[in-house]
Amino acid sequence: MTLLEQIRENAKTANKRIVLPEGEEERTLKAAETILGEGIAQLVLIGNPDTIKAEAEKFGLKNIQKAEIVNPKTFENKQQYAELMAQIRGSKGMTVEKALKQLDSPYYLGTLMIKAGHADGMVAGAICSTADTIRPALQYIKTAPGVSTVSGAFVVVVKDKNYGQDGVFLFADCAVNIAPNAEQLADIAIISAKTAKALAGIDPKVAMLSFSTKGSAQHEMVDKVTEATKIAQERAPELEIDGELQADAAMVQKVADLKAPGSKVAGNANVLVFPSLEAGNIGYKLVQRLAGADAVGPILQGMAAPVNDLSRGCYVEDIVNMVAITALQAVSK
């Protein structure tokens, strides 16, 4: 069984309720058919019920009837949600009247369903920008307790099982923070360990990556990673986190023995924390293309409840997989 197959199986057991705000979109509907057919999650589809039913009939989708369909124009809890929004963001000028108008957006409506406890997570982005997906979540769901940094991770599966944990890694941050400071890197390290364990069953060994290993180079960028390592170790002493480490020292035992002898992480790292978005984004794409690795993500981590963003070029299977991942993230909250 592949990792993605295992994630889907685990999601079935979780039985979480996931919102798909782009409920009228073709790929989303086809993904919903698979999700509901396999029992991966319960679904809420946001959109015009007549349109959704017509599209389902057009594509021969029989399982859509198992989903709850919510029309943002007539949703019965809209007033309750608007009052909640005004309560949360009244200091920012939000009123009930403004909130009622904002709830015409399926992305805000889906977010408030999570905030009100009527859903466990949300997946969107097939037809909207990342900002449209993430902004409502940052405003109303906010970050998890003790976490101040939202980041984007990829589960990366390479063919050579000698690396990572049987070929499985988690890479972060590859999607959100352009130039994280030491405090943010520490946040990313701790939440990435949690994501790796929850989604991939990894016993996390976190490497704080740099172009230096244990003082082999001197630079303010190295100092940042060294400081981040100390902060992460102090905040989460139960985790195995080490740095600063070069990528080869993090992953290859022979190199680790030379460059970082005695490290519990070096040579065995399976969670790689990159010093910048530039490095992380380039790194995962190189591994994906040159090594033929599977890269699943970006998985948004650090939120109080899971909200995940899709690429507008996503495939049906991408949506199915992201719903399964979102369901497992909801379990770990």
Side-chain angles (χ1 to χ4, degrees):
M1 184 179 291
T2 67
L3 176 60
L4 284 175
E5 289 170 341
Q6 187 62 59
I7 287 173
R8 289 195 192 190
E9 286 300 313
N10 292 342
K12 293 177 186 179
T13 302
N15 193 32
K16 294 298 182 179
R17 184 177 173 84
I18 307 301
V19 183
L20 299 178
E22 296 160 335
E24 299 175 9
E25 196 269 333
E26 178 181 342
R27 290 164 297 170
T28 300
L29 283 171
K30 289 179 177 178
E33 178 76 1
T34 299
I35 293 161
L36 295 166
E38 294 184 11
I40 293 170
Q42 301 174 52
L43 291 182
V44 179
L45 299 176
I46 297 180
N48 184 296
D50 292 335
T51 302
I52 290 173
K53 290 174 183 176
E55 289 295 293
E57 185 174 336
K58 174 182 175 182
F59 297 115
L61 309 178
K62 305 296 185 183
N63 294 318
I64 298 301
Q65 60 185 344
K66 299 177 184 177
E68 178 184 355
I69 299 175
V70 169
N71 188 339
K73 300 295 184 183
T74 60
F75 185 52
E76 60 183 5
N77 289 330
K78 203 169 182 180
Q79 181 70 28
Q80 174 193 340
Y81 287 3
E83 291 172 0
L84 179 59
M85 292 168 73
Q87 178 184 334
I88 293 171
R89 290 182 60 80
S91 63
K92 303 291 185 181
M94 181 57 65
T95 64
V96 172
E97 292 73 21
K98 289 179 181 179
L100 284 169
K101 292 180 181 179
Q102 204 164 53
L103 284 169
D104 286 338
S105 161
Y107 307 104
Y108 275 95
L109 180 56
T111 298
L112 266 294
M113 291 188 76
I114 299 169
K115 184 63 179 179
H118 297 153
D120 300 302
M122 184 172 81
V123 175
I127 55 174
C128 77
S129 69
T130 296
D132 287 336
T133 300
I134 295 177
R135 185 183 298 111
L138 291 174
Q139 290 176 346
Y140 292 102
I141 295 174
K142 304 184 183 297
T143 57
V147 177
S148 59
T149 306
V150 174
S151 56
F154 279 80
V155 174
V156 177
V157 184
V158 300
K159 295 174 182 177
D160 191 335
K161 295 184 180 296
N162 291 311
Y163 295 106
Q165 183 166 309
D166 295 324
V168 180
F169 290 91
L170 189 122
F171 286 17
D173 178 4
C174 304
V176 179
N177 298 281
I178 295 174
N181 60 31
E183 291 276 348
Q184 290 171 321
L185 275 180
D187 261 357
I188 293 166
I190 294 167
I191 198 66
S192 295
K194 185 176 181 180
T195 299
K197 187 172 184 178
L199 297 186
I202 286 176
D203 178 19
K205 297 181 184 299
V206 184
M208 308 295 283
L209 297 183
S210 176
F211 61 85
S212 169
T213 297
K214 299 296 184 179
S216 65
Q218 303 296 317
H219 192 272
E220 61 184 18
M221 288 293 290
V222 177
D223 295 339
K224 178 182 77 169
V225 176
T226 303
E227 179 62 21
T229 303
K230 291 178 182 177
I231 295 169
Q233 290 170 337
E234 290 171 359
R235 288 184 187 171
E238 74 282 2
L239 294 175
E240 292 188 356
I241 301 174
D242 200 8
E244 84 284 9
L245 297 171
Q246 290 165 287
D248 56 354
M251 295 184 294
V252 183
Q253 192 60 61
K254 287 183 178 180
V255 178
D257 290 342
L258 291 172
K259 293 185 174 184
S263 172
K264 294 181 179 180
V265 171
N268 299 291
N270 49 38
V271 177
L272 305 183
V273 177
F274 292 84
S276 68
L277 179 60
E278 183 176 46
N281 190 272
I282 292 169
Y284 99 79
K285 288 181 178 179
L286 283 174
V287 174
Q288 182 184 37
R289 297 298 180 178
L290 298 182
D294 293 324
V296 181
I299 301 159
L300 199 63
Q301 50 182 13
M303 299 298 299
V307 172
N308 279 308
D309 179 46
L310 299 162
S311 164
R312 276 174 277 186
C314 67
Y315 296 101
V316 170
E317 282 296 294
D318 296 328
I319 302 174
V320 175
N321 291 333
M322 194 56 75
V323 166
I325 285 169
T326 304
L328 290 187
Q329 284 181 292
V331 173
S332 65
K333 294 300 177 185

